[in-house]
Amino acid sequence: MTLLGLNIDHVATLRNARGGTEPDPVQAALIAEASGADSIVCHLREDRRHIRDADVRRLRGSVTTSLQLEMALHPDVIDVALDVKPLEIMVVPERREEVTTEGGFDCVRYSRPLGDAIARFRAAGIGVSVFIDADAVQIAQAHTLGAHTIELHTGPYCHAAVEEAEPELARLEAAAAQARGLGIEVHAGHGLNYENIQRLLRRVPVSKVNIGHSVVSRAVFAGFATAVREMKTLIESVG
Ligand code: PXP
């Protein structure tokens, strides 16, 4: 069974548009959990454009499933993570000018800082996932450096035209098989929505998908609980 990790960043994006307290990402997390989400995900970016330090602390105290903190390897964000101690962190690359995460973390190029961070988090009892492209060299390096989990970047699959998605699915399928063979847990995420989730899961078995923008977008019209429940039902019906 594939679990649903619900990314609530864009509830905070909406809140920050007016600088107030509504809508509250913690309330969204609680509704998501009550509606079938198996974990809550948030990304504390260096520029704090959506989720802020106080949100992470409040989520840690409120979430009853599990909290996964997505982050780049910025020293001040590492300090927050080591202090808050989420169940798991997910390492992503980050550029200030990007609208959203653009690609997988380069485990080869940034081998030293990633290895150091994994050692620090493991010593603190925090699991480490790394967001990577479906690439054999990256997967082998993540394994060598001691990552417990990888999240495969589904953006290229999600952004491909329906008839051109096949090679991307094949790449993801091979990457997931390689990682499982190495004993690494496999998650997937980025760009997944109500139209493309089932085709992915029928082909690529993963233990969790992390989804944010499409659910928050649907929630504007359908309500947060309904939007989460509908996504959960689509995932469950694949098995
Ligand atoms: N996984 C990672 C690593 C991400 O950076 C994001 C976006 O924050 C997601 C999953 C969720 O992507 P989306 O918002 O497109 O569902």
Side-chain angles (χ1 to χ4, degrees):
M1 173 63 76
T2 302
L3 303 179
L4 170 60
L6 213 284
N7 180 311
I8 52 161
D9 290 349
H10 295 304
V11 177
T13 302
L14 193 54
R15 174 197 63 190
N16 297 353
R18 283 295 171 99
T21 57
E22 286 182 337
D24 179 9
V26 175
Q27 191 182 354
L30 300 182
I31 294 170
E33 287 184 312
S35 309
D38 300 289
S39 79
I40 300 300
V41 187
C42 68
H43 184 176
L44 186 65
R45 294 186 73 101
E46 184 200 17
D47 62 10
R48 309 302 199 264
R49 71 172 72 154
H50 36 56
I51 293 291
R52 296 170 176 158
D53 299 36
D55 297 323
V56 180
R57 293 180 197 286
R58 289 175 60 231
L59 286 164
R60 183 71 178 92
S62 309
V63 164
T64 56
T65 52
S66 68
L67 179 66
Q68 187 186 42
L69 181 63
E70 188 181 326
M71 52 182 277
L73 296 179
H74 295 297
D76 70 312
V77 178
I78 291 176
D79 287 347
V80 172
L82 287 169
D83 184 41
V84 172
K85 287 193 172 36
L87 183 80
E88 188 177 71
I89 62 127
M90 186 206 328
V91 179
V92 295
E94 206 175 281
R95 286 195 313 120
R96 274 192 165 228
E97 56 278 23
E98 70 190 3
V99 174
T100 182
T101 312
E102 290 173 341
F105 189 89
D106 189 337
C107 302
V108 176
R109 183 167 180 194
Y110 301 108
S111 170
R112 170 79 66 85
L114 179 60
D116 290 350
I118 289 175
R120 284 182 78 187
F121 283 113
R122 286 184 77 138
I126 300 169
V128 180
S129 175
V130 189
F131 180 63
I132 55 180
D133 295 329
D135 177 281
V137 174
Q138 294 294 332
I139 293 167
Q141 184 68 358
H143 176 251
T144 301
L145 295 174
H148 298 88
T149 306
I150 56 165
E151 177 172 316
L152 291 174
H153 186 7
T154 50
Y157 157 66
C158 296
H159 298 133
V162 174
E163 62 284 3
E164 286 164 11
E166 176 54 32
E168 299 301 339
L169 283 171
R171 255 190 284 282
L172 289 163
E173 189 178 27
Q178 178 195 354
R180 271 196 311 280
L182 292 168
I184 301 176
E185 185 169 337
V186 185
H187 298 171
H190 212 284
L192 294 170
N193 61 30
Y194 298 82
E195 280 70 48
N196 62 28
I197 183 70
Q198 291 192 315
R199 186 175 176 194
L200 173 85
L201 294 181
R202 284 194 192 105
R203 187 72 183 276
V204 186
V206 295
S207 56
K208 185 162 82 112
V209 284
N210 287 328
I211 306 180
H213 190 266
S214 63
V215 175
V216 174
S217 300
R218 180 160 298 207
V220 170
F221 301 111
F224 212 77
T226 301
V228 174
R229 244 184 265 117
E230 285 180 6
M231 182 58 80
K232 178 75 176 176
T233 301
L234 290 174
I235 293 169
E236 280 178 339
S237 65
V238 177

